[in-house]
Amino acid sequence: MEQQLSGAPGARVLVVDDDPTVAEVVSGYLDRAGYVVDRAADGPDALARAAAHWPDLVVLDLMLPGMDGLEVCRRMRGRGPVPVIMLTARGDEDDRIIGLEVGADDYVTKPFSPRELVLRVGSVLRRARPAAQPSDTLSSAGLTVEPAARRALKDGTELSLTTREFDLLAFFLRHPGRAFGREELMREVWGWDFGDLSTVTVHVRRLRGKVEDDPARPRFIQTVWGVGYRFDPADAPESAED
């Protein structure tokens, strides 16, 4: 019997890819890992299926006919929070960065191992719905994170954060004043021992855009040159964005 890989059996995953072979293979692996799988071949079909049965996670091809994956991601984000893993062509670094900028939680480059993709799905879902995350409310510098409710606020106004942005903010609030390298953040927040470090850079940039009054002159999420980043709740000197 194939080993259970998901860590979140029964979660609904929407696979969006216009290549029927890729969609079938990915859906088969996810099904055997215990997920409930929906499939869509284009953007409008994906949005319709998501509206009918809101997914716990979306595996989304970037290159779709008509409405591309970036627009699908934007529209889904407009309807509600949902983790997204984007499928991109190998070497299209700009597209991967754009995908992260519009809110994708992770990406996998084609060609890829379906087993690796299933592991990534499980990792993202565990971060979205952690089973043993500390539940104490975290507050600092006008920012509040409620881990049990998966809610973050700035000066009492709720923030719209992706799964990774929420986890990154909660991690910073738990460790004020300490500098972390991008490798360390990837291991502690993403749960990966390897990966594209630009993922961390993009998420820090996106998080700054939501928690800083002036993201170009961040006061709280500081760049520590030659090291990485530090959350400083004090009114520290301004640093330039990386």
Side-chain angles (χ1 to χ4, degrees):
M1 180 180 296
E2 185 169 350
Q3 181 181 3
Q4 178 73 18
L5 300 174
S6 70
R12 182 178 294 273
V13 179
L14 175 60
V15 177
V16 188
D17 199 307
D18 63 321
D19 185 327
T21 300
V22 172
E24 182 175 355
V25 170
V26 170
S27 298
Y29 270 79
L30 289 169
D31 179 71
R32 289 191 291 275
Y35 295 105
V36 176
V37 183
D38 289 335
R39 286 171 52 177
D42 55 39
D45 188 21
L47 295 175
R49 289 179 180 275
H53 299 285
W54 192 252
D56 295 298
L57 181 142
V58 180
V59 175
L60 178 61
D61 187 22
L62 177 65
M63 299 300 294
L64 294 171
M67 183 189 302
D68 65 20
L70 297 178
E71 182 61 24
V72 174
C73 186
R74 288 190 189 98
R75 295 195 185 191
M76 284 191 174
R77 290 290 189 201
R79 294 183 180 184
V82 60
V84 175
I85 296 178
M86 196 160 281
L87 304 180
T88 69
R90 186 175 301 277
D92 291 343
E93 181 176 359
D94 290 342
D95 288 340
R96 296 200 297 272
I97 296 300
I98 292 172
L100 293 170
E101 291 281 11
V102 300
D105 295 273
D106 192 6
Y107 65 82
V108 175
T109 55
K110 294 181 177 180
F112 57 85
S113 160
R115 182 181 176 85
E116 177 189 353
L117 177 59
V118 172
L119 291 171
R120 293 290 186 97
V121 167
S123 173
V124 171
L125 282 173
R126 283 192 297 274
R127 291 288 174 171
R129 302 186 301 182
Q133 183 169 336
S135 59
D136 292 342
T137 297
L138 306 167
S139 296
S140 183
L143 299 169
T144 301
V145 170
E146 300 172 357
R150 299 292 293 182
R151 185 169 70 160
L153 304 95
K154 177 183 178 182
D155 297 327
T157 301
E158 188 163 355
L159 298 170
S160 177
L161 302 180
T162 67
T163 300
R164 299 299 190 187
E165 290 165 1
F166 181 93
D167 292 337
L168 186 59
L169 179 59
F171 184 81
F172 277 138
L173 263 65
R174 287 195 179 97
H175 304 281
R178 179 179 168 186
F180 292 93
R182 291 189 299 170
E183 296 91 344
E184 195 171 5
L185 289 171
M186 177 162 283
R187 183 173 62 253
E188 296 295 332
V189 178
W190 276 255
W192 306 339
D193 290 323
F194 61 91
D196 185 348
L197 295 180
S198 65
T199 300
V200 177
T201 304
V202 171
H203 278 79
V204 168
R205 184 183 307 132
R206 284 180 53 85
L207 184 58
R208 279 174 169 167
K210 297 178 180 181
V211 304
E212 301 280 0
D213 293 329
D214 183 358
R217 302 176 186 276
R219 291 191 303 125
F220 304 129
I221 304 176
Q222 299 279 321
T223 295
V224 182
W225 300 111
V227 179
Y229 305 101
R230 180 185 69 241
F231 178 76
D232 190 348
D235 194 0
E238 295 174 344
S239 69
E241 187 180 1
D242 49 271

